[in-house]
């Protein structure tokens, strides 16, 4: 039982570090002069929450869908909490 708690905490920290690294690279590639985010919570916060709540596969899928909707013609709501 104790091993599961240790593994879960390690997994959560690892996913957060991977997410932060990925968004650091993403923001470097698509840098703009205006540093605003279209959504609340931001995409990086959303991805971290999704990975922790849903795990790697489902969380990554939700994060990618969110990133792909970040364009002016999106019909997605601006306030888009993780449910």
């Amino acid at each position: 039982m104790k091993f599961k708690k240790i593994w879960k905490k390690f997994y959560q920290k690892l996913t957060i570090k991977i997410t932060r690294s990925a968004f650091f690279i993403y923001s470097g590639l698509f840098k703009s002069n205006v540093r605003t985010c279209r959504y609340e919570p931001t995409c990086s916060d959303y991805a971290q929450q999704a990975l922790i709540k849903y795990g790697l596969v489902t969380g990554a899928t939700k994060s990618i869908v969110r990133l792909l909707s970040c364009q002016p013609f999106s019909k997605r709501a601006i306030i888009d909490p993780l449910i």
Side-chain angles (χ1 to χ4, degrees):
M1 195 66 166
K2 190 174 184 180
F3 179 73
K4 285 185 179 182
K5 288 182 182 180
I6 293 171
W7 175 250
K8 185 176 180 179
K9 190 175 271 192
F10 170 76
Y11 175 72
Q12 286 178 345
K13 287 182 181 181
L14 181 66
T15 55
I16 288 172
K17 286 184 181 187
I18 291 171
T19 306
R20 286 184 181 161
S21 300
F23 276 96
F24 179 75
I25 293 168
Y26 177 80
S27 66
L29 291 174
F30 300 105
K31 198 176 249 184
S32 97
N33 293 335
V34 181
R35 302 300 289 171
T36 60
C37 186
R38 171 184 174 96
Y39 293 114
E40 180 64 38
T42 62
C43 291
S44 57
D45 291 337
Y46 184 90
Q48 288 176 7
Q49 292 171 9
L51 287 170
I52 290 171
K53 185 172 183 178
Y54 294 110
L56 185 61
V57 176
T58 307
T61 304
K62 287 182 174 285
S63 301
I64 290 169
V65 168
R66 171 81 175 256
L67 281 174
L68 292 175
S69 70
C70 190
Q71 38 100 356
F73 303 110
S74 177
K75 296 190 189 300
R76 197 172 187 145
I78 292 174
I79 298 177
D80 185 25
L82 185 65
I83 298 175

